[in-house]
Amino acid sequence: AVALTVACVRVELRMYRRCRTSAQIVKQPPHFEYIVRCDWGAPSGRGARWWDELPRSYTLRRRWLDIVRFHDTVMGMAFDSEHGVPRVEAKLPELPSPGDLDGFMHCVAATGDTNALSRRRSDWGGTGRPGDPWDELDLLHSMYVETRLGPYFEELSHVLAEVPPSMIQESAAFRKFVTNGAQCKPRDRSAFGPARERFCGPAAHYAEPEDLAGAVKAVLAKGGLLEKQAEIA
């Protein structure tokens, strides 16, 4: 069994952004960012599992679409659609509805701080008085994270504990969710760092030298040029 516990620590709100780069204009509508924590158990010791090389605990930043895709991936491993029977005994959780984006935006706007949800709770200036925007934001965040997302990820972790490790080992979508963009990866220490693509636009796509060499060989072999060169040599 795979000892993995997935939990949503908090939710952050990203406001609308419009950025002009040298290549294009990038528009990002307001959206939630879910801070997800992955806690792995002790390594299996077999050395053949890709998750044995990961840190025992780290956090991820995911959007709602990422969580929906991860839910579909886990449900596909936990339920045998061919025979119509589940592969696990744990209860299959239902995906909760997305958060009230408008309600969060109104509460954040009332605080006067667009980064309110990104700050520590100790830095919040709640007074306890009726109608205080910080207290309302704290209540709205707690209801969403602790009441709706908390039970869902807890049930999802119970399902993961019974999913066959071989299916997790072979699932590229599962591995992408728990590793891609993880904060445990080395950070870019260059002059621009992660802001390079934001200001300079997306990087140009080019083929690797090995791929170019293979393509050249394929074209030469198709035209019979390789055999002619071999005869001349």
Side-chain angles (χ1 to χ4, degrees):
V2 179
L4 171 61
T5 302
V6 184
C8 182
V9 181
R10 68 180 187 275
V11 173
E12 296 182 1
L13 179 63
R14 300 301 179 189
M15 294 295 187
Y16 171 81
R17 293 183 180 182
R18 183 178 182 271
C19 181
R20 181 186 296 273
T21 68
S22 60
Q24 59 184 351
I25 297 178
V26 181
K27 298 180 180 180
Q28 294 184 357
H31 60 275
F32 287 116
E33 270 194 1
Y34 299 83
I35 313 303
V36 181
R37 185 179 66 244
C38 297
D39 295 322
W40 297 85
S44 60
R46 301 177 181 179
R49 308 297 188 185
W50 52 262
W51 56 83
D52 290 343
E53 302 177 359
L54 298 176
R56 297 302 92 192
S57 180
Y58 54 89
T59 58
L60 306 164
R61 288 183 175 270
R62 294 291 178 261
R63 293 193 181 188
W64 180 250
L65 182 58
D66 300 326
I67 295 179
V68 172
R69 292 173 177 172
F70 183 67
H71 173 84
D72 295 339
T73 300
V74 176
M75 294 302 103
M77 294 188 294
F79 188 82
D80 188 354
S81 58
E82 181 178 356
H83 300 88
V85 294
R87 296 189 179 95
V88 300
E89 296 182 358
K91 177 184 177 182
L92 301 181
E94 295 184 2
L95 186 67
S97 58
D100 183 9
L101 185 60
D102 292 337
F104 272 90
M105 291 183 64
H106 290 162
C107 288
V108 170
T111 62
D113 186 358
T114 57
N115 296 322
L117 289 172
S118 303
R119 305 190 186 282
R120 298 178 180 178
R121 294 298 178 267
S122 58
D123 297 336
W124 287 21
T127 60
R129 300 175 182 175
D132 186 278
W134 289 97
D135 293 336
E136 293 183 358
L137 181 61
D138 187 17
L139 178 61
L140 185 62
H141 182 271
S142 300
M143 291 177 58
Y144 184 41
V145 175
E146 299 177 6
T147 306
R148 295 166 58 181
L149 296 178
Y152 165 73
F153 279 105
E154 183 177 358
E155 294 179 358
L156 191 68
S157 299
H158 294 162
V159 173
L160 291 175
E162 300 181 15
V163 171
S166 58
M167 301 188 68
I168 296 180
Q169 175 74 12
E170 299 173 357
S171 176
F174 187 95
R175 183 173 184 176
K176 181 180 180 180
F177 180 86
V178 300
T179 58
N180 187 30
Q183 294 184 0
C184 58
K185 292 185 177 180
R187 295 184 178 180
D188 187 357
R189 301 297 182 180
S190 61
F192 284 98
R196 179 185 301 275
E197 183 175 341
R198 180 183 305 172
F199 291 98
C200 301
H205 297 280
Y206 60 91
E208 297 293 337
E210 297 80 2
D211 299 333
L212 292 176
V216 171
K217 290 181 179 180
V219 173
L220 294 177
K222 184 177 180 180
L225 296 180
L226 289 179
E227 297 179 356
K228 295 179 180 180
Q229 292 179 359
E231 292 177 358
I232 295 175

